[in-house]
Amino acid sequence: MPTNAKHGLAPSSSSTLARAGRCTLVGAGPGDPELLTLKALKAIQAATLLLVDDLVSDAIVALAAPGARVVHVGKRGGCQSTPQAFIEKLTVMAVQEGETVVRLKGGDPFVFGRGGEETEHLRAAGIQVEVVNGITAGLAAVTSLGVPLTHRDHAHGVVFITGHAKPGDSGTDWRALAATAHSARLTLVIYMGISGARHIQDELLCGLPAHTPVAVIQNASLPQQRQAVCTLGELQPTLEREHLSSPSVIVVGDVLQGLLALQQPLSQQALRA
């Protein structure tokens, strides 16, 4: 098992590391270790230091080399978070000290993972960065339900979007997005949308029919995964009734029509027939 640390670096086993350090941003996927890419696994096993995001599962961290040091640098909305500036400083310092650093991120580093910000910071410090993609939670969540994100009859495209705007940002124009999704037949995959679900629902209803199918998937790909399927008009009551919370993905679109039909009582299906 790798050595664990909270914040900070333990002294290296040798006073000076002669080799040059390097950094790889690795996508850990949605949580199931079997969904890691081979390239991600090799990077994790080669790391001397892993800087691990909060949503990375323990089973994936356990794949690190026995002597690797693990520093948890969690960032989750509504919870105590490690400052981004601290993470970036720690990464640069470790690489400069000769460490083989893996910045381990849930999902994909470049899909709502601040991978772009960290890559820019490292390159500005003269550090070359490799990025290893991971399966993003939105894809894994929908696939776990046996549903595609696109379909020739139901969805001509897909939009991945965050439901959480940074301070000072007005955020997404959900009404405009709803109108576009309706006219262009798009599937919406909303990350970090639980806390603002009521507002998102109200705004989407200005451009999408209330009977539009919706799925909410919590802890996608993990043994504790839970999900609910409903209509857009019933989104908030469903969240409250099923006690669904973060981390969850909200999927909106007609690709879920068949799944929604299976949830409806047979009497309702008979009436529509």
Side-chain angles (χ1 to χ4, degrees):
M1 288 293 290
T3 302
N4 285 285
K6 180 59 179 174
H7 293 312
L9 299 176
S12 176
S13 57
S14 60
S15 58
T16 303
L17 296 174
R19 59 184 172 75
R22 55 194 171 95
C23 181
T24 307
L25 270 62
V26 175
D32 182 350
E34 294 188 351
L35 294 180
L36 283 173
T37 65
L38 289 174
K39 194 169 187 178
L41 177 60
K42 290 177 181 178
I44 292 169
Q45 292 176 333
T48 62
L49 172 67
L50 292 96
L51 304 178
V52 182
D53 273 351
D54 193 50
L55 293 179
V56 177
S57 68
D58 292 340
I60 290 176
V61 177
L63 296 172
R69 289 173 290 161
V70 176
V71 180
H72 292 279
V73 287
K75 298 184 75 63
R76 289 184 63 180
C79 302
Q80 185 176 0
S81 297
T82 305
Q84 185 66 27
F86 176 86
I87 297 173
E88 293 169 354
K89 181 178 180 180
L90 187 60
T91 306
V92 170
M93 182 176 68
V95 173
Q96 291 174 341
E97 291 179 353
E99 298 275 9
T100 299
V101 180
V102 162
R103 178 73 176 95
L104 195 55
K105 293 175 168 290
D108 183 275
F110 281 178
V111 180
F112 307 120
R114 295 198 180 186
E117 297 174 36
E118 294 183 19
T119 299
E120 291 170 0
H121 186 87
L122 289 165
R123 288 175 178 166
I127 296 171
Q128 293 299 311
V129 186
E130 182 180 4
V131 178
V132 178
N133 292 117
I135 294 177
T136 187
L139 177 58
V142 177
T143 300
S144 72
L145 303 180
V147 174
L149 283 173
T150 62
H151 190 291
R152 290 192 299 173
D153 295 331
H154 302 299
H156 296 164
V158 57
V159 175
F160 294 98
I161 192 160
T162 177
H164 177 72
K166 68 179 182 180
D169 191 328
S170 59
T172 299
D173 186 338
W174 295 103
R175 296 190 182 195
L177 180 61
T180 300
H182 188 54
S183 61
R185 300 175 72 181
L186 304 176
T187 304
L188 303 181
V189 181
I190 305 169
Y191 293 67
M192 298 170 281
I194 294 296
S195 61
R198 184 180 299 277
H199 171 71
I200 293 171
Q201 175 189 11
D202 291 343
E203 295 295 287
L204 289 180
L205 284 171
C206 294
L208 286 169
H211 62 259
T212 302
V214 174
V216 182
I217 305 96
Q218 180 179 335
N219 292 315
S221 86
L222 294 174
Q224 63 268 34
Q225 175 176 321
R226 299 175 59 238
Q227 62 275 327
V229 181
C230 61
T231 63
L232 182 57
E234 290 296 315
L235 174 56
Q236 186 61 35
T238 300
L239 291 176
E240 294 172 357
R241 182 181 68 251
E242 300 296 330
H243 304 289
L244 291 165
S245 59
S246 298
S248 293
V249 175
I250 302 172
V251 183
V252 182
D254 286 340
V255 291
L256 297 164
Q257 282 183 358
L259 198 58
L260 178 62
L262 292 174
Q263 310 297 313
Q264 296 174 333
L266 292 176
S267 58
Q268 291 187 22
Q269 296 184 38
L271 289 173
R272 291 189 177 186

